[in-house]
Amino acid sequence: MSIAPLPERIRPTDLHEVVGQRHILGENKILNRIINSGRISNMIFYGPPGTGKTTVANIIAKKANKSFYKLNATNASLSDVKEVISSTDTLMGLNGVLLYLDEIQNFNKKQQQSLLEYIENGRITLIASTTENPYHYIYKAILSRSTVFEFKPINKDDVIWGLKRGLKIIKEECNNKIILEEEALDYIGEVSGGDLRKALNGLEVAIFSTLPNSNGEIYVDLNIARDSTQGKILNYDKFGDSHYDVLSAFQKSIRGSDVDASLHYLGRLIESGDLISICRRLLVIASEDIGLAYPNAITIVKSCVDSAMQLGLPEGRIPLAQGVILLATSPKSNSVVTSIDKVIADLKNKDVGDIPIHLKDSHYSGAESLGRGIGYKYPHSYKNNYVKQQYLPDNIKNSVYYYPGDNKMEKQFYNYIRELKENSKE
C-alpha cells in the first residue's frame, strides 16, 4: 500500500494549524473572517509554492460545507471544468461546489473566459491559485469578480515549527527511535526558502534514507540533511514575475546607494545565470540614475559589462560586482532621463512646430532660394565658441527641458553655460 508524502499526511485541517500567513489568517484578519463567516466568495491565492494555498482552499471548502474539486490548469482542459460544473446538478452539488484551480495562469484567455458564466450565475465558487502576479496573467473580468490574497514565503521559525510537527507524525508512524540534530533541523529550515512542502520532503528523505544503528536509532546529522535537501533553490524564474521583482530591487538598491543590498540582488541574478539582464540593467542605471553626476560611470560600466560578457560566468561575477559597487557608491542624478522624457512628452502631446529655417540643411543646390540656412550664426566664429540664436521651434522656443542635478559636476557644467549666455553679445 502506497503512503502519501509527508506534506499530505501533515496537511492542516483547521486554520490554527496552518503555518505562516498571519497577515491574512491571523485573528481578525480578512481571510480568517471570511472563512469563519461561511460566506465564501471567489478568490485568487497568489504566492510561491509550499506556502499553504491548497491547504487553505481545503479548509475553506470544509468550513463552507461545499463539495470540493481540485484541478491543475497545467494539464486540465475545459472538459474537466465542465465535468465539475455538471456535478452542481447532482446531490453532490446540493450545498454548492468549490472549484480550486491551481496554476490558473496556464489557462489561456479563452479558457479563463469560459469560467465567467459559471462564476456569475453562482454555480461554482472559484478559488484560483498562481505563483505569478495575477494582475499580469489572469483575465481582468475574473479579477474584477474575485478577491486577491497574497501568500508570502514562510519564515524560517515557522518552517521549523512545521518540521517539528512532521517529525512528530513520523515518530508516531515508525517503530524506530528518530534523533534529529538541531543543526540538521536548522539547516533544512534555512534552505527551504520559505517552502514548507520542500522542507517536509527533505525531512522525509533524510529520515528514510538513513539506516538504523545497532541500537535501532535513526540518527540524522547535518551532513545527512545536506545530502537530502540538495541545497537551497532560489525562488527565481527568468521568465516569470520574480525576474522583474529582482531586477527592480537591484536597480532601486543601486539608486538608493545601498551597496550591500545592490550586491545581494546581483548575487541572486548571478545564481540564476541571467547575465544578459544584469548587463542591460547596469548600462541603463549608469545613465538613468548616475548620469551627469559622474559622466565617466557609463564608460567604466561598459568596460565591466564587456569583460563579463567575454568571461562568462562564474568569472564574470567579478567585473559585474565592480560595476555595481561603482554605481552604488557614485553620486546620483536623474536629470538625463527626466530631460529626455519631457521632450518626448511634448512631441506626443504638443504641436511643437517646424524647425527654424536658419537651422535647416543648406548643403544642396537651391537651398538658398528656399531660405534654408540664411541667418545661421556659426558659433565657432564667435568668442568662446558661443553666440545667442534660436534653436527650438517657434511654438516651444521658451521650453526648458534640462535642469541640473544637485551635484558638483552638473552645477559646474551648468554654471559654465549660464555664464557664457550672460556674457555673450547678440
Side-chain angles (χ1 to χ4, degrees):
M1 182 179 69
S2 62
I3 300 175
L6 182 58
E8 291 300 321
R9 305 203 304 278
I10 196 179
R11 191 180 293 281
T13 57
D14 201 84
L15 281 182
H16 74 273
E17 297 176 340
V18 177
V19 175
Q21 313 313 328
R22 294 298 96 193
H23 64 292
I24 52 176
L25 293 176
E27 188 176 355
N28 292 323
K29 297 298 183 179
I30 179 64
L31 189 51
N32 185 309
R33 298 201 309 269
I34 290 173
I35 294 170
N36 286 322
S37 74
R39 297 179 65 85
I40 308 303
S41 58
N42 302 302
M43 305 180 197
I44 294 170
F45 292 168
Y46 158 50
T51 52
K53 299 187 295 295
T54 302
T55 294
V56 173
N58 274 296
I59 293 171
I60 289 174
K62 179 183 174 184
K63 287 275 187 180
N65 197 27
K66 292 178 181 288
S67 296
F68 181 66
Y69 293 87
K70 179 183 176 183
L71 295 176
N72 190 306
T74 304
N75 49 35
S77 64
L78 284 180
S79 60
D80 296 312
V81 174
K82 289 176 180 177
E83 187 175 334
V84 172
I85 302 302
S86 66
S87 70
T88 61
D89 298 322
T90 68
L91 287 174
M92 289 289 290
L94 191 62
N95 294 318
V97 167
L98 190 153
L99 171 61
Y100 178 62
L101 185 59
D102 199 11
E103 304 294 348
I104 188 176
Q105 76 275 4
N106 290 311
F107 263 14
N108 59 38
K109 183 177 179 180
K110 184 178 179 181
Q111 289 173 309
Q112 290 188 35
Q113 284 177 319
S114 68
L115 296 169
L116 280 178
E117 177 187 349
Y118 308 114
I119 293 173
E120 290 177 336
N121 63 25
R123 293 185 70 182
I124 64 168
T125 300
L126 176 69
I127 297 182
S129 75
T130 176
T131 55
E132 305 292 350
N133 192 322
Y135 296 99
H136 296 167
Y137 291 91
I138 296 180
Y139 183 48
K140 286 182 173 56
I142 291 180
L143 278 175
S144 69
R145 292 161 175 79
S146 309
T147 304
V148 177
F149 293 100
E150 183 175 4
F151 282 62
K152 298 180 179 180
I154 302 168
N155 65 48
K156 179 181 170 183
D157 289 341
D158 284 339
V159 171
I160 289 176
W161 183 87
L163 285 170
K164 288 179 177 178
R165 187 164 170 260
L167 180 62
K168 181 181 177 183
I169 287 176
I170 293 176
K171 284 181 175 180
E172 291 171 354
E173 295 172 344
C174 298
N175 294 324
N176 300 96
K177 183 180 180 182
I178 301 168
I179 301 171
L180 182 66
E181 274 189 0
E182 280 297 320
E183 280 187 319
L185 181 68
D186 187 78
Y187 179 81
I188 296 172
E190 179 69 40
V191 300
S192 67
D195 183 338
L196 182 57
R197 184 189 300 115
K198 179 177 184 290
L200 290 169
N201 285 333
L203 175 66
E204 195 167 30
V205 169
I207 291 172
F208 292 113
S209 65
T210 304
L211 295 174
N213 59 23
S214 56
N215 297 322
E217 299 170 336
I218 294 176
Y219 191 87
V220 177
D221 59 17
L222 180 57
N223 288 330
I224 292 173
R226 283 176 175 155
D227 289 341
S228 303
T229 54
Q230 299 300 309
K232 188 172 183 178
I233 299 175
L234 290 174
N235 178 30
Y236 183 86
D237 173 6
K238 69 173 67 177
F239 302 108
D241 278 341
S242 56
H243 168 77
Y244 299 102
D245 289 340
V246 175
L247 285 172
S248 176
F250 181 51
Q251 181 162 2
K252 287 171 181 173
S253 297
I254 293 175
R255 181 184 296 151
S257 301
D258 190 324
V259 66
D260 299 306
S262 303
L263 287 168
H264 169 80
Y265 293 113
L266 171 65
R268 288 195 184 202
L269 291 163
I270 288 171
E271 283 298 295
S272 73
D274 196 1
L275 182 58
I276 297 296
S277 292
I278 298 170
C279 293
R280 292 182 72 247
R281 192 57 63 114
L282 286 177
L283 288 171
V284 76
I285 291 169
S287 291
E288 181 180 349
D289 296 304
I290 284 77
L292 296 174
Y294 182 27
N296 284 338
I298 192 167
T299 305
I300 299 170
V301 168
K302 178 64 165 60
S303 296
C304 291
V305 163
D306 288 346
S307 296
M309 292 296 290
Q310 189 169 358
L311 288 168
L313 294 174
E315 289 85 356
R317 76 191 188 282
I318 303 169
L320 290 175
Q322 179 180 344
V324 166
I325 293 170
L326 173 80
L327 293 176
T329 56
S330 291
K332 306 297 189 293
S333 171
N334 70 340
S335 62
V336 172
V337 65
T338 56
S339 299
I340 190 61
D341 284 352
K342 286 175 187 175
V343 172
I344 291 171
D346 273 4
L347 290 171
K348 289 180 177 180
N349 301 305
K350 291 182 179 180
D351 176 13
V352 296
D354 197 13
I355 298 169
I357 197 166
H358 61 278
L359 296 183
K360 290 188 175 183
D361 181 23
S362 60
H363 294 88
Y364 58 91
S365 176
E368 187 175 351
S369 65
L370 295 175
R372 303 296 196 265
I374 295 175
Y376 172 64
K377 300 173 184 177
Y378 186 58
H380 296 297
S381 299
Y382 295 83
K383 184 181 179 180
N384 295 321
N385 303 300
Y386 177 80
V387 62
K388 286 183 179 179
Q389 65 182 325
Q390 182 182 328
Y391 290 97
L392 281 170
D394 286 341
N395 293 5
I396 56 169
K397 65 181 181 180
N398 295 319
S399 295
V400 177
Y401 295 110
Y402 171 68
Y403 291 92
D406 187 16
N407 59 80
K408 181 180 179 181
M409 186 69 72
E410 284 187 85
K411 284 182 176 179
Q412 180 180 329
F413 290 154
Y414 189 78
N415 288 335
Y416 167 74
I417 294 295
R418 182 175 54 80
E419 288 175 10
L420 271 183
K421 292 179 179 180
E422 289 175 354
N423 297 326
S424 70
K425 297 179 181 179
E426 292 290 347

